Amino acid sequence: MARLGKRTTAARAGIDRKKLYELGEAVKMVKSRATAKFDETVEVALNLGVDPRHADQMVRGVVNLPNGTGKTVRVAVFAKDAKADEARKAGADIVGAEDLMEDILKGNINFDRCIATPDMMPLVGRLGKVLGPRNLMPNPKVGTVTPDVAGAVKAAKGGAVEFRVEKAGILHAGVGKASFTEEALLQNIKAFTDAVSRAKPAGAKGTYIKRVAVSSTMGPGVHVDPATVH
């Protein structure tokens, strides 16, 4: 068994791996252990009682975190003419159509969120095999296929977080930075878990949110009592 470094051992000290902590206490523990030389991202991971292999148990959506993510989000927009101008004015980093498609096909994916106007989807659809696996494919269900490109760009820049359940029912997302106040992180986490709760699919049976954990980029995970996250 590999030996743990001093930093990891110190970070894990005082955390009972078998205990479910109240959310506020867990956030305090995560913040105090985020001692890296950069501003660590605070992440929440949920284990859901769903099997995403079944269409009626897929969980996905988007939530606007009240205090933002603390992360600079690079936004690409597929749009033409007036809509392209709207996207640029709203702060989009990359705007294009066929030229943007060619760039992406060459492997130049220099963005974190992709938005498209509805008329661009026949073009964007050809990028499914490239953008899909990276969870970057525009989708009307999460507001990234829309005629309101300006609103979508501002939402993406302001703290909109997309979520999608993965294999084994795991769902995770960054919900802020370790430099955020405890209150700001609590508000963001509760907004995120509330959005996931509202996205509960019709096919979900039994306990929906089974396990919850919070952690920072370099820190240990702290298990949270699911009853305290709402």
Side-chain angles (χ1 to χ4, degrees), residues 100-135:
L100 178 53
M101 181 189 74
E102 293 297 333
D103 244 13
I104 292 170
L105 287 173
K106 289 175 185 173
N108 298 321
I109 303 176
N110 303 311
F111 51 86
D112 309 297
R113 185 71 51 85
C114 188
I115 295 163
T117 54
D119 60 300
M120 289 281 99
M121 285 313 291
L123 183 71
V124 179
R126 290 150 67 180
L127 297 169
K129 289 183 179 179
V130 181
L131 298 180
R134 293 174 171 82
N135 203 24

mmCIF file of all heavy atoms in Angstrom, residues 100-135:
data_model
loop_
_atom_site.group_PDB
_atom_site.id
_atom_site.type_symbol
_atom_site.label_atom_id
_atom_site.label_comp_id
_atom_site.label_asym_id
_atom_site.label_seq_id
_atom_site.Cartn_x
_atom_site.Cartn_y
_atom_site.Cartn_z
ATOM 1 N N LEU A 100 -15.794 28.149 -37.623
ATOM 2 C CA LEU A 100 -15.655 27.594 -36.280
ATOM 3 C C LEU A 100 -15.748 26.068 -36.320
ATOM 4 O O LEU A 100 -15.003 25.369 -35.617
ATOM 5 C CB LEU A 100 -16.726 28.175 -35.358
ATOM 6 C CG LEU A 100 -16.762 27.678 -33.913
ATOM 7 C CD1 LEU A 100 -15.400 27.809 -33.248
ATOM 8 C CD2 LEU A 100 -17.824 28.444 -33.120
ATOM 9 N N MET A 101 -16.635 25.550 -37.166
ATOM 10 C CA MET A 101 -16.758 24.098 -37.318
ATOM 11 C C MET A 101 -15.435 23.494 -37.809
ATOM 12 O O MET A 101 -14.972 22.483 -37.280
ATOM 13 C CB MET A 101 -17.881 23.746 -38.295
ATOM 14 C CG MET A 101 -18.073 22.240 -38.466
ATOM 15 S SD MET A 101 -19.210 21.799 -39.803
ATOM 16 C CE MET A 101 -18.197 22.158 -41.235
ATOM 17 N N GLU A 102 -14.825 24.139 -38.800
ATOM 18 C CA GLU A 102 -13.555 23.644 -39.341
ATOM 19 C C GLU A 102 -12.462 23.657 -38.271
ATOM 20 O O GLU A 102 -11.644 22.730 -38.174
ATOM 21 C CB GLU A 102 -13.122 24.494 -40.542
ATOM 22 C CG GLU A 102 -14.016 24.364 -41.766
ATOM 23 C CD GLU A 102 -14.031 22.957 -42.344
ATOM 24 O OE1 GLU A 102 -13.037 22.223 -42.176
ATOM 25 O OE2 GLU A 102 -15.047 22.584 -42.961
ATOM 26 N N ASP A 103 -12.444 24.704 -37.476
ATOM 27 C CA ASP A 103 -11.469 24.815 -36.389
ATOM 28 C C ASP A 103 -11.610 23.664 -35.401
ATOM 29 O O ASP A 103 -10.623 23.059 -34.986
ATOM 30 C CB ASP A 103 -11.687 26.144 -35.650
ATOM 31 C CG ASP A 103 -10.486 27.057 -35.797
ATOM 32 O OD1 ASP A 103 -9.640 26.769 -36.647
ATOM 33 O OD2 ASP A 103 -10.408 28.052 -35.050
ATOM 34 N N ILE A 104 -12.860 23.367 -35.039
ATOM 35 C CA ILE A 104 -13.126 22.296 -34.074
ATOM 36 C C ILE A 104 -12.730 20.938 -34.652
ATOM 37 O O ILE A 104 -12.145 20.102 -33.964
ATOM 38 C CB ILE A 104 -14.614 22.308 -33.652
ATOM 39 C CG1 ILE A 104 -14.901 23.571 -32.826
ATOM 40 C CG2 ILE A 104 -14.977 21.053 -32.852
ATOM 41 C CD1 ILE A 104 -16.368 23.817 -32.558
ATOM 42 N N LEU A 105 -13.020 20.731 -35.933
ATOM 43 C CA LEU A 105 -12.656 19.470 -36.581
ATOM 44 C C LEU A 105 -11.148 19.276 -36.635
ATOM 45 O O LEU A 105 -10.658 18.146 -36.676
ATOM 46 C CB LEU A 105 -13.253 19.419 -37.996
ATOM 47 C CG LEU A 105 -14.768 19.210 -38.072
ATOM 48 C CD1 LEU A 105 -15.259 19.346 -39.505
ATOM 49 C CD2 LEU A 105 -15.164 17.846 -37.504
ATOM 50 N N LYS A 106 -10.396 20.380 -36.605
ATOM 51 C CA LYS A 106 -8.931 20.306 -36.588
ATOM 52 C C LYS A 106 -8.394 20.057 -35.182
ATOM 53 O O LYS A 106 -7.199 19.931 -34.975
ATOM 54 C CB LYS A 106 -8.341 21.612 -37.138
ATOM 55 C CG LYS A 106 -8.538 21.803 -38.632
ATOM 56 C CD LYS A 106 -8.030 23.186 -39.051
ATOM 57 C CE LYS A 106 -8.327 23.460 -40.515
ATOM 58 N NZ LYS A 106 -7.987 24.856 -40.882
ATOM 59 N N GLY A 107 -9.320 20.034 -34.207
ATOM 60 C CA GLY A 107 -8.901 19.788 -32.827
ATOM 61 C C GLY A 107 -8.698 21.033 -31.993
ATOM 62 O O GLY A 107 -8.218 20.963 -30.861
ATOM 63 N N ASN A 108 -9.062 22.180 -32.557
ATOM 64 C CA ASN A 108 -8.908 23.440 -31.811
ATOM 65 C C ASN A 108 -10.171 23.713 -30.988
ATOM 66 O O ASN A 108 -11.107 24.366 -31.453
ATOM 67 C CB ASN A 108 -8.645 24.606 -32.771
ATOM 68 C CG ASN A 108 -7.367 24.415 -33.556
ATOM 69 O OD1 ASN A 108 -6.375 23.939 -33.015
ATOM 70 N ND2 ASN A 108 -7.381 24.770 -34.829
ATOM 71 N N ILE A 109 -10.192 23.185 -29.781
ATOM 72 C CA ILE A 109 -11.349 23.373 -28.903
ATOM 73 C C ILE A 109 -10.901 24.240 -27.732
ATOM 74 O O ILE A 109 -10.510 23.755 -26.667
ATOM 75 C CB ILE A 109 -11.906 22.012 -28.427
ATOM 76 C CG1 ILE A 109 -12.276 21.167 -29.654
ATOM 77 C CG2 ILE A 109 -13.118 22.208 -27.516
ATOM 78 C CD1 ILE A 109 -12.738 19.770 -29.324
ATOM 79 N N ASN A 110 -10.934 25.544 -27.952
ATOM 80 C CA ASN A 110 -10.427 26.494 -26.959
ATOM 81 C C ASN A 110 -11.578 27.169 -26.216
ATOM 82 O O ASN A 110 -11.625 28.394 -26.096
ATOM 83 C CB ASN A 110 -9.555 27.554 -27.645
ATOM 84 C CG ASN A 110 -8.405 26.912 -28.406
ATOM 85 O OD1 ASN A 110 -7.703 26.063 -27.866
ATOM 86 N ND2 ASN A 110 -8.229 27.306 -29.664
ATOM 87 N N PHE A 111 -12.519 26.353 -25.738
ATOM 88 C CA PHE A 111 -13.669 26.911 -25.021
ATOM 89 C C PHE A 111 -14.215 25.887 -24.035
ATOM 90 O O PHE A 111 -13.942 24.698 -24.128
ATOM 91 C CB PHE A 111 -14.760 27.345 -26.005
ATOM 92 C CG PHE A 111 -15.155 26.285 -27.003
ATOM 93 C CD1 PHE A 111 -16.123 25.337 -26.698
ATOM 94 C CD2 PHE A 111 -14.556 26.234 -28.258
ATOM 95 C CE1 PHE A 111 -16.486 24.360 -27.613
ATOM 96 C CE2 PHE A 111 -14.914 25.255 -29.183
ATOM 97 C CZ PHE A 111 -15.881 24.316 -28.856
ATOM 98 N N ASP A 112 -14.974 26.403 -23.059
ATOM 99 C CA ASP A 112 -15.557 25.555 -22.009
ATOM 100 C C ASP A 112 -17.061 25.367 -22.172
ATOM 101 O O ASP A 112 -17.654 24.478 -21.561
ATOM 102 C CB ASP A 112 -15.311 26.192 -20.629
ATOM 103 C CG ASP A 112 -13.853 26.556 -20.421
ATOM 104 O OD1 ASP A 112 -13.026 25.633 -20.416
ATOM 105 O OD2 ASP A 112 -13.539 27.757 -20.277
ATOM 106 N N ARG A 113 -17.697 26.239 -22.958
ATOM 107 C CA ARG A 113 -19.138 26.159 -23.168
ATOM 108 C C ARG A 113 -19.428 26.508 -24.616
ATOM 109 O O ARG A 113 -18.798 27.412 -25.166
ATOM 110 C CB ARG A 113 -19.848 27.154 -22.232
ATOM 111 C CG ARG A 113 -21.369 27.114 -22.237
ATOM 112 C CD ARG A 113 -21.926 25.879 -21.573
ATOM 113 N NE ARG A 113 -21.342 25.682 -20.253
ATOM 114 C CZ ARG A 113 -21.794 26.272 -19.146
ATOM 115 N NH1 ARG A 113 -22.805 27.096 -19.193
ATOM 116 N NH2 ARG A 113 -21.229 26.022 -17.979
ATOM 117 N N CYS A 114 -20.348 25.778 -25.222
ATOM 118 C CA CYS A 114 -20.683 26.018 -26.626
ATOM 119 C C CYS A 114 -22.174 26.318 -26.742
ATOM 120 O O CYS A 114 -23.011 25.558 -26.240
ATOM 121 C CB CYS A 114 -20.311 24.804 -27.474
ATOM 122 S SG CYS A 114 -20.479 25.074 -29.255
ATOM 123 N N ILE A 115 -22.492 27.413 -27.403
ATOM 124 C CA ILE A 115 -23.874 27.882 -27.575
ATOM 125 C C ILE A 115 -24.146 28.002 -29.067
ATOM 126 O O ILE A 115 -23.237 28.298 -29.857
ATOM 127 C CB ILE A 115 -24.051 29.248 -26.868
ATOM 128 C CG1 ILE A 115 -23.880 29.079 -25.349
ATOM 129 C CG2 ILE A 115 -25.402 29.885 -27.196
ATOM 130 C CD1 ILE A 115 -23.636 30.377 -24.607
ATOM 131 N N ALA A 116 -25.401 27.769 -29.469
ATOM 132 C CA ALA A 116 -25.749 27.878 -30.888
ATOM 133 C C ALA A 116 -27.159 28.417 -31.049
ATOM 134 O O ALA A 116 -28.044 28.143 -30.224
ATOM 135 C CB ALA A 116 -25.638 26.519 -31.575
ATOM 136 N N THR A 117 -27.364 29.187 -32.107
ATOM 137 C CA THR A 117 -28.723 29.572 -32.464
ATOM 138 C C THR A 117 -29.373 28.365 -33.148
ATOM 139 O O THR A 117 -28.670 27.519 -33.729
ATOM 140 C CB THR A 117 -28.727 30.779 -33.420
ATOM 141 O OG1 THR A 117 -27.890 30.479 -34.545
ATOM 142 C CG2 THR A 117 -28.229 32.031 -32.726
ATOM 143 N N PRO A 118 -30.706 28.233 -33.065
ATOM 144 C CA PRO A 118 -31.376 27.045 -33.636
ATOM 145 C C PRO A 118 -31.047 26.790 -35.103
ATOM 146 O O PRO A 118 -30.893 25.634 -35.510
ATOM 147 C CB PRO A 118 -32.860 27.365 -33.431
ATOM 148 C CG PRO A 118 -32.892 28.246 -32.219
ATOM 149 C CD PRO A 118 -31.662 29.108 -32.344
ATOM 150 N N ASP A 119 -30.899 27.851 -35.902
ATOM 151 C CA ASP A 119 -30.636 27.673 -37.340
ATOM 152 C C ASP A 119 -29.244 27.105 -37.612
ATOM 153 O O ASP A 119 -28.966 26.643 -38.731
ATOM 154 C CB ASP A 119 -30.806 29.008 -38.082
ATOM 155 C CG ASP A 119 -29.854 30.073 -37.574
ATOM 156 O OD1 ASP A 119 -29.922 30.398 -36.375
ATOM 157 O OD2 ASP A 119 -29.029 30.583 -38.360
ATOM 158 N N MET A 120 -28.362 27.131 -36.610
ATOM 159 C CA MET A 120 -27.008 26.617 -36.775
ATOM 160 C C MET A 120 -26.893 25.124 -36.460
ATOM 161 O O MET A 120 -25.844 24.509 -36.701
ATOM 162 C CB MET A 120 -26.038 27.380 -35.859
ATOM 163 C CG MET A 120 -25.737 28.804 -36.257
ATOM 164 S SD MET A 120 -24.525 28.912 -37.617
ATOM 165 C CE MET A 120 -25.622 29.159 -39.005
ATOM 166 N N MET A 121 -27.960 24.531 -35.921
ATOM 167 C CA MET A 121 -27.856 23.145 -35.453
ATOM 168 C C MET A 121 -27.584 22.109 -36.551
ATOM 169 O O MET A 121 -26.905 21.111 -36.281
ATOM 170 C CB MET A 121 -29.084 22.766 -34.633
ATOM 171 C CG MET A 121 -29.079 23.387 -33.232
ATOM 172 S SD MET A 121 -27.498 23.195 -32.364
ATOM 173 C CE MET A 121 -27.486 21.423 -32.066
ATOM 174 N N PRO A 122 -28.084 22.283 -37.777
ATOM 175 C CA PRO A 122 -27.688 21.321 -38.822
ATOM 176 C C PRO A 122 -26.167 21.285 -39.011
ATOM 177 O O PRO A 122 -25.579 20.226 -39.256
ATOM 178 C CB PRO A 122 -28.389 21.858 -40.080
ATOM 179 C CG PRO A 122 -29.587 22.571 -39.541
ATOM 180 C CD PRO A 122 -29.117 23.223 -38.267
ATOM 181 N N LEU A 123 -25.527 22.444 -38.865
ATOM 182 C CA LEU A 123 -24.069 22.530 -38.971
ATOM 183 C C LEU A 123 -23.405 21.935 -37.723
ATOM 184 O O LEU A 123 -22.503 21.103 -37.814
ATOM 185 C CB LEU A 123 -23.668 24.002 -39.122
ATOM 186 C CG LEU A 123 -22.183 24.306 -39.326
ATOM 187 C CD1 LEU A 123 -21.731 23.860 -40.706
ATOM 188 C CD2 LEU A 123 -21.938 25.806 -39.151
ATOM 189 N N VAL A 124 -23.887 22.362 -36.557
ATOM 190 C CA VAL A 124 -23.305 21.899 -35.292
ATOM 191 C C VAL A 124 -23.497 20.394 -35.113
ATOM 192 O O VAL A 124 -22.647 19.707 -34.539
ATOM 193 C CB VAL A 124 -23.933 22.662 -34.101
ATOM 194 C CG1 VAL A 124 -23.343 22.177 -32.779
ATOM 195 C CG2 VAL A 124 -23.706 24.164 -34.255
ATOM 196 N N GLY A 125 -24.596 19.860 -35.644
ATOM 197 C CA GLY A 125 -24.882 18.428 -35.519
ATOM 198 C C GLY A 125 -23.784 17.548 -36.082
ATOM 199 O O GLY A 125 -23.583 16.420 -35.636
ATOM 200 N N ARG A 126 -23.032 18.084 -37.042
ATOM 201 C CA ARG A 126 -21.933 17.318 -37.642
ATOM 202 C C ARG A 126 -20.745 17.185 -36.690
ATOM 203 O O ARG A 126 -19.804 16.440 -36.950
ATOM 204 C CB ARG A 126 -21.500 18.005 -38.941
ATOM 205 C CG ARG A 126 -22.561 17.858 -40.044
ATOM 206 C CD ARG A 126 -22.575 19.017 -41.012
ATOM 207 N NE ARG A 126 -21.367 19.111 -41.827
ATOM 208 C CZ ARG A 126 -21.170 20.058 -42.741
ATOM 209 N NH1 ARG A 126 -22.099 20.971 -42.958
ATOM 210 N NH2 ARG A 126 -20.050 20.083 -43.442
ATOM 211 N N LEU A 127 -20.801 17.904 -35.568
ATOM 212 C CA LEU A 127 -19.704 17.868 -34.599
ATOM 213 C C LEU A 127 -20.030 16.993 -33.390
ATOM 214 O O LEU A 127 -19.292 17.003 -32.404
ATOM 215 C CB LEU A 127 -19.398 19.297 -34.116
ATOM 216 C CG LEU A 127 -18.922 20.268 -35.187
ATOM 217 C CD1 LEU A 127 -18.914 21.692 -34.646
ATOM 218 C CD2 LEU A 127 -17.536 19.880 -35.680
ATOM 219 N N GLY A 128 -21.120 16.251 -33.476
ATOM 220 C CA GLY A 128 -21.567 15.442 -32.348
ATOM 221 C C GLY A 128 -20.505 14.514 -31.791
ATOM 222 O O GLY A 128 -20.348 14.387 -30.580
ATOM 223 N N LYS A 129 -19.754 13.869 -32.675
ATOM 224 C CA LYS A 129 -18.739 12.902 -32.219
ATOM 225 C C LYS A 129 -17.548 13.578 -31.548
ATOM 226 O O LYS A 129 -16.803 12.948 -30.799
ATOM 227 C CB LYS A 129 -18.253 12.050 -33.399
ATOM 228 C CG LYS A 129 -19.303 11.065 -33.892
ATOM 229 C CD LYS A 129 -18.759 10.192 -35.004
ATOM 230 C CE LYS A 129 -19.805 9.192 -35.480
ATOM 231 N NZ LYS A 129 -19.300 8.356 -36.590
ATOM 232 N N VAL A 130 -17.366 14.871 -31.831
ATOM 233 C CA VAL A 130 -16.257 15.612 -31.232
ATOM 234 C C VAL A 130 -16.693 16.292 -29.931
ATOM 235 O O VAL A 130 -16.047 16.182 -28.898
ATOM 236 C CB VAL A 130 -15.718 16.686 -32.212
ATOM 237 C CG1 VAL A 130 -14.544 17.435 -31.598
ATOM 238 C CG2 VAL A 130 -15.304 16.046 -33.527
ATOM 239 N N LEU A 131 -17.836 16.981 -29.996
ATOM 240 C CA LEU A 131 -18.286 17.754 -28.837
ATOM 241 C C LEU A 131 -19.048 16.908 -27.815
ATOM 242 O O LEU A 131 -18.986 17.185 -26.613
ATOM 243 C CB LEU A 131 -19.177 18.923 -29.298
ATOM 244 C CG LEU A 131 -18.521 19.967 -30.200
ATOM 245 C CD1 LEU A 131 -19.519 21.043 -30.572
ATOM 246 C CD2 LEU A 131 -17.290 20.586 -29.521
ATOM 247 N N GLY A 132 -19.745 15.885 -28.289
ATOM 248 C CA GLY A 132 -20.554 15.056 -27.394
ATOM 249 C C GLY A 132 -19.771 14.436 -26.253
ATOM 250 O O GLY A 132 -20.139 14.602 -25.080
ATOM 251 N N PRO A 133 -18.682 13.706 -26.539
ATOM 252 C CA PRO A 133 -17.908 13.078 -25.461
ATOM 253 C C PRO A 133 -17.313 14.077 -24.470
ATOM 254 O O PRO A 133 -17.007 13.729 -23.336
ATOM 255 C CB PRO A 133 -16.798 12.338 -26.219
ATOM 256 C CG PRO A 133 -17.333 12.133 -27.593
ATOM 257 C CD PRO A 133 -18.172 13.339 -27.871
ATOM 258 N N ARG A 134 -17.164 15.339 -24.893
ATOM 259 C CA ARG A 134 -16.603 16.369 -24.005
ATOM 260 C C ARG A 134 -17.711 17.129 -23.267
ATOM 261 O O ARG A 134 -17.437 18.090 -22.546
ATOM 262 C CB ARG A 134 -15.763 17.364 -24.823
ATOM 263 C CG ARG A 134 -14.491 16.761 -25.415
ATOM 264 C CD ARG A 134 -13.803 17.770 -26.320
ATOM 265 N NE ARG A 134 -12.482 17.332 -26.753
ATOM 266 C CZ ARG A 134 -12.247 16.510 -27.753
ATOM 267 N NH1 ARG A 134 -13.262 16.010 -28.442
ATOM 268 N NH2 ARG A 134 -11.017 16.162 -28.084
ATOM 269 N N ASN A 135 -18.948 16.700 -23.453
ATOM 270 C CA ASN A 135 -20.105 17.363 -22.837
ATOM 271 C C ASN A 135 -20.186 18.837 -23.257
ATOM 272 O O ASN A 135 -20.564 19.700 -22.467
ATOM 273 C CB ASN A 135 -20.050 17.244 -21.308
ATOM 274 C CG ASN A 135 -21.430 17.386 -20.675
ATOM 275 O OD1 ASN A 135 -22.444 17.134 -21.315
ATOM 276 N ND2 ASN A 135 -21.475 17.794 -19.427
#
